[in-house]
């Protein structure tokens, strides 16, 4: 149990650090409202679950054996972050107080889930993070490794979703405030867009350990 609490604290520290997932959630909440931001959080949770499964299957070893696979994922992820950042710079804040057609809302949420999924799934650092962190909390003489891995993975996804939901709600609250501050809207738009582009550029320089 103490091991699990240490794992929880390690995740909390990491999830508090600014990154593309956090900025995406804040930007989506501010621009599209609470529903789309929470949908983005769900997409991120699905991506993290995929990373846990891929880490268990040894995809990190594939990156080591075939470095071009790491490069392919890295550049695809950077290109996707760059596209989102540019899109953010070119769009305006959407009113969170108005409600549109239900079909449009559902379509917006599906797009938000997809955006969250791809943003995290195409980040090789997230996979390497799971591959490095999870084994450190496996107890050699404890339960079967697969069960421990599944438990730690569930905690990782759950804690991540908890933090992401908080960021999503914070972004939505920011969006409501921005509706009455046109100048702040432009600052938010350029700040979040520039940060996402910056994360895209940084990702292109990431190397395997």
């Amino acid at each position: 149990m103490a091991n699990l609490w240490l794992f929880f604290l390690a995740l909390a520290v990491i999830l508090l650090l600014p990154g593309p997932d956090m900025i995406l959630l804040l930007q989506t909440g501010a621009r599209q409202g609470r529903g789309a931001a929470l949908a983005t959080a769900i997409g991120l949770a699905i991506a993290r679950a995929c990373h846990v499964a891929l880490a268990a299957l040894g995809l990190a070893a594939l990156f080591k054996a075939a470095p071009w696979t790491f490069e392919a994922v890295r550049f695809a992820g950077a290109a996707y972050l760059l596209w989102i950042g540019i899109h953010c710079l070119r769009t305006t804040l959407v009113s969170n107080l108005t409600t549109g057609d239900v079909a449009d809302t559902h379509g917006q949420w599906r797009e938000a889930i997809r955006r969250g999924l791809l943003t995290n799934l195409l980040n090789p650092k997230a996979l390497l993070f799971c591959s490095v962190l999870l084994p450190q909390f496996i107890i050699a003489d404890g339960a079967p490794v697969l069960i421990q891995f599944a438990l730690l993975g569930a905690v990782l996804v759950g804690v991540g979703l908890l933090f992401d939901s908080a960021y999503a709600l914070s972004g939505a609250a920011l969006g409501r405030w921005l509706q009455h501050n046109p100048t702040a809207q432009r600052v938010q738009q350029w700040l979040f867009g520039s940060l996402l582009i910056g994360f895209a550029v940084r990702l292109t320089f990431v190397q395997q350990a």
Side-chain angles (χ1 to χ4, degrees), residues 49-98:
C50 291
H51 278 309
V52 170
L54 291 171
L57 293 173
L59 188 60
L62 174 62
F63 284 169
K64 288 286 188 181
W68 68 267
T69 58
F70 178 87
E71 298 298 318
V73 175
R74 178 165 65 94
F75 282 112
Y80 189 67
L81 279 178
L82 179 64
W83 180 83
I84 294 177
I86 293 174
H87 181 70
C88 176
L89 294 177
R90 297 179 59 184
T91 55
T92 56
L93 187 69
V94 176
S95 174
N96 296 321
L97 301 178
T98 58

Side-chain angles (χ1 to χ4, degrees), residues 60 63-64 70-71 124-125 128-129 132 205-209:
F63 284 169
K64 288 286 188 181
F70 178 87
E71 298 298 318
K125 290 174 60 180
L128 294 177
F129 166 73
V132 171
F205 293 100
V206 169
Q207 302 294 326
Q208 293 197 70

Side-chain angles (χ1 to χ4, degrees), residues 193-209:
S194 299
L195 285 171
L196 287 170
I197 292 172
F199 284 125
V201 172
R202 189 179 72 172
L203 186 57
T204 63
F205 293 100
V206 169
Q207 302 294 326
Q208 293 197 70

Side-chain angles (χ1 to χ4, degrees), residues 3-82:
N3 212 41
L4 198 58
W5 274 109
L6 285 175
F7 181 64
F8 177 87
L9 290 175
L11 288 177
V13 170
I14 293 168
L15 290 168
L16 285 171
L17 297 175
D21 294 348
M22 179 193 294
I23 299 302
L24 178 65
L25 288 163
L26 292 172
Q27 184 266 341
T28 302
R31 189 168 62 87
Q32 296 180 292
R34 180 179 59 186
L38 290 174
T40 302
I42 292 174
L44 290 169
I46 295 172
R48 289 195 184 99
C50 291
H51 278 309
V52 170
L54 291 171
L57 293 173
L59 188 60
L62 174 62
F63 284 169
K64 288 286 188 181
W68 68 267
T69 58
F70 178 87
E71 298 298 318
V73 175
R74 178 165 65 94
F75 282 112
Y80 189 67
L81 279 178
L82 179 64

Side-chain angles (χ1 to χ4, degrees), residues 101-207:
D101 182 78
V102 173
D104 291 340
T105 300
H106 288 169
Q108 184 185 75
W109 291 354
R110 284 193 296 272
E111 172 62 21
I113 291 174
R114 183 183 67 84
R115 191 163 55 241
L117 173 66
L118 291 178
T119 297
N120 192 274
L121 198 59
L122 292 176
N123 185 354
K125 290 174 60 180
L127 173 64
L128 294 177
F129 166 73
C130 290
S131 300
V132 171
L133 183 68
L134 294 181
Q136 295 185 38
F137 291 89
I138 297 294
I139 302 174
D141 56 350
V145 172
L146 187 59
I147 294 178
Q148 292 188 63
F149 211 93
L151 175 60
L152 292 173
V155 172
L156 185 149
V157 173
V159 173
L161 183 59
L162 180 65
F163 275 79
D164 288 347
S165 297
Y167 296 138
L169 296 176
S170 297
L174 175 63
R176 289 192 293 271
W177 178 76
L178 289 173
Q179 288 174 354
H180 307 291
N181 296 269
T183 301
Q185 287 184 25
R186 296 296 299 173
V187 172
Q188 172 269 327
Q189 181 180 350
W190 281 92
L191 176 61
F192 286 172
S194 299
L195 285 171
L196 287 170
I197 292 172
F199 284 125
V201 172
R202 189 179 72 172
L203 186 57
T204 63
F205 293 100
V206 169
Q207 302 294 326

